[in-house]
Amino acid sequence: IVLAAHRLNRIRDLDAANYTITAEAGCVLATLQAAAEWAGRLFPLSLAAEGSCQLGGVVSTNAGGTAVIRYGTARDLVLGIEVVLPDGSVLDRLRVLRKDNTGYDLRQLFIGAEGTLGFVTAASCKLYPAPRATALGWLAVPTASAAVALLAEARARLGDEVTAFELMGRLAVDLVATHIPGTRDPLPGTSPWYVLLEVASSRSDAAPATALEAFLGWALEAGLVTDGVIAQSLAQQADCWRLRHAMSEAQKHAGASIKHDISVPVSRVATFLDAAGAYVAAAIPGVRVVAFGHVGDGNLHYNLSQPPGSSREAFLARWEEVSAGVHDRAVALGGSFSAEHGIGSLKVGELRRWRGGPEYRLMQALKATIDPLGIMNPGKVLAGPD
């Protein structure tokens, strides 16, 4: 049986004074954003698929997106949840409270569970003050280490007004500029790394641009940035975001890809890039690293494109082996092999490898208790019983 939520698309409540919105699982993310904006509020979850992805899927996968550095993942935004359980009963926890210490926090069982414990039908989420203005800089940085240092200074000097900090490798930018019509590199010359830094304020129309301009001047003098440009209009901001969001699409034009969705502590991003780069270069000579992601929260999409002229089939046959090596290096640094894309069926083995022991047995016990017949999204997240 395949369940679709697209007709569960009502916004049940929007309480501007309480800064909350309650909507059904089939509501498209962009619809929630627009409803919040109409009420003078912000629904901050933002990702490339926001024009088509639905709230139920966002909750069930604990989606992250580009604003996690300031607002957190879906898990941080959901206050209440409504779920149909495997036995047909409905768990109604559509609370809109910030404080509610009444036993176990059952909503968290279903956020990120990928539909394996129940079917999410509605959720209540936090809203925030709508920003009066945003400013966006496209910055060239000499090294990944410089990008990490730049992030630390941005947070110290600009505070919570930093809403996005995206890191992109040179090859990723080149692929978009070459293969996606209407895109171009905002800066002349070449740099090994680029940062997209967004600042937003609900206090003053001029505050973000003034603060970002001053910060860029400091960063240039400090040598953390070699060049940079601040978008002068909303259209220019959209052009920069399009460059970032089109990177996965552009990589399709470079042949086969082996993709990874890892996270490490922010302070170890550069260490991971060095270690993983050395490993994949030795494992597959000529491989092209297409690295980009939400370095503000330590999440990198560490993708590999096949060497020019090589066999697509032979390259993809190395997926499991190479991914294990990349994941080893992320986990060794205190990171995760799955940052925001979940487990699905592809990473079932990796979950058991890295989350084995008491943690894995507890997940199995929860699954067996809530879904004893194994009817909810079978084959996903967890392997069968031992």
Side-chain angles (χ1 to χ4, degrees):
I1 299 174
V2 177
L3 299 177
H6 66 276
R7 289 195 294 174
L8 288 170
N9 57 13
R10 290 186 302 131
I11 295 177
R12 296 185 185 177
D13 182 65
L14 197 162
D15 189 339
N18 195 46
Y19 282 82
T20 54
I21 187 170
T22 300
E24 294 176 341
C27 282
V28 173
L29 195 59
T31 301
L32 297 178
Q33 294 168 343
E37 183 179 5
W38 178 84
R41 300 293 182 258
L42 171 71
F43 182 67
L45 194 61
S46 179
L47 50 148
E50 61 195 27
S52 59
C53 66
Q54 298 173 352
L55 179 61
V58 164
V59 171
S60 295
T61 57
N62 187 31
T66 58
V68 171
I69 185 175
R70 182 167 179 178
Y71 300 106
T73 65
R75 190 179 300 282
D76 301 298
L77 296 172
V78 173
L79 293 170
I81 199 168
E82 180 185 85
V83 185
V84 179
L85 300 175
D87 64 1
S89 60
V90 177
L91 175 67
D92 183 359
R93 289 282 302 172
L94 281 178
R95 309 292 193 269
V96 290
L97 302 173
R98 267 73 173 181
K99 290 183 176 180
D100 183 12
N101 284 331
T102 52
Y104 302 134
D105 190 354
L106 297 178
R107 64 183 166 149
Q108 295 295 351
L109 287 176
F110 303 94
I111 301 172
E114 300 181 40
T116 59
L117 300 178
F119 188 79
V120 175
T121 51
S124 300
C125 301
K126 299 175 185 176
L127 298 178
Y128 288 84
R132 295 182 63 179
T134 61
L136 184 144
W138 183 274
L139 315 177
V141 294
T143 63
S145 295
V148 171
L150 184 70
L151 171 62
E153 290 294 338
R155 298 191 71 177
R157 294 167 182 267
L158 302 174
D160 287 340
E161 293 187 350
V162 176
T163 55
F165 194 97
E166 301 286 302
L167 179 68
M168 299 151 287
R170 176 75 241 174
L171 179 56
V173 175
D174 283 343
L175 287 174
V176 175
T178 300
H179 297 292
I180 305 301
T183 62
R184 66 178 184 85
D185 187 341
L187 291 174
T190 60
S191 174
W193 295 99
Y194 294 89
V195 163
L196 187 154
L197 171 58
E198 184 182 77
V199 180
S201 174
S202 58
R203 297 181 294 108
S204 167
D205 292 346
T210 301
L212 184 56
E213 184 176 352
F215 178 70
L216 176 56
W218 173 87
L220 286 165
E221 290 185 7
L224 296 179
V225 170
T226 57
D227 198 0
V229 61
I230 296 176
Q232 298 300 304
S233 66
L234 292 178
Q236 289 184 5
Q237 290 186 22
D239 288 343
C240 290
W241 273 116
R242 189 182 180 202
L243 269 173
R244 166 60 186 87
H245 286 317
M247 287 179 176
S248 293
E249 178 186 353
Q251 193 178 0
K252 297 175 183 177
H253 297 275
S257 299
I258 297 176
K259 298 189 175 185
H260 308 94
D261 168 47
I262 66 92
S263 64
V264 294
V266 173
S267 58
R268 299 174 182 172
V269 165
T271 303
F272 167 79
L273 288 168
D274 289 341
Y279 165 72
V280 299
I284 306 178
V287 71
R288 294 171 289 172
V289 175
V290 184
F292 58 92
H294 324 297
V295 75
D297 54 59
N299 176 200
L300 286 174
H301 302 301
Y302 192 77
N303 299 341
L304 309 175
S305 285
Q306 69 182 85
S310 66
S311 164
R312 176 186 180 89
E313 292 73 22
F315 176 71
L316 291 177
R318 305 284 302 277
W319 190 308
E320 186 173 348
E321 167 206 346
V322 171
S323 290
V326 171
H327 294 161
D328 286 348
R329 283 150 181 82
V331 175
L333 294 170
S336 171
F337 65 91
S338 182
E340 67 176 0
H341 289 169
I343 303 301
S345 57
L346 185 64
K347 298 178 184 176
V348 167
E350 288 292 84
L351 181 66
R352 190 162 198 160
R353 179 162 81 105
W354 290 112
R355 297 292 185 263
E359 184 177 358
Y360 195 83
R361 289 195 298 272
L362 182 56
M363 285 192 278
Q364 287 181 311
L366 287 169
K367 173 69 172 175
T369 300
I370 297 173
D371 183 20
L373 299 180
I375 64 173
M376 302 302 295
N377 216 5
K380 306 302 191 299
V381 183
L382 297 174
D386 294 325

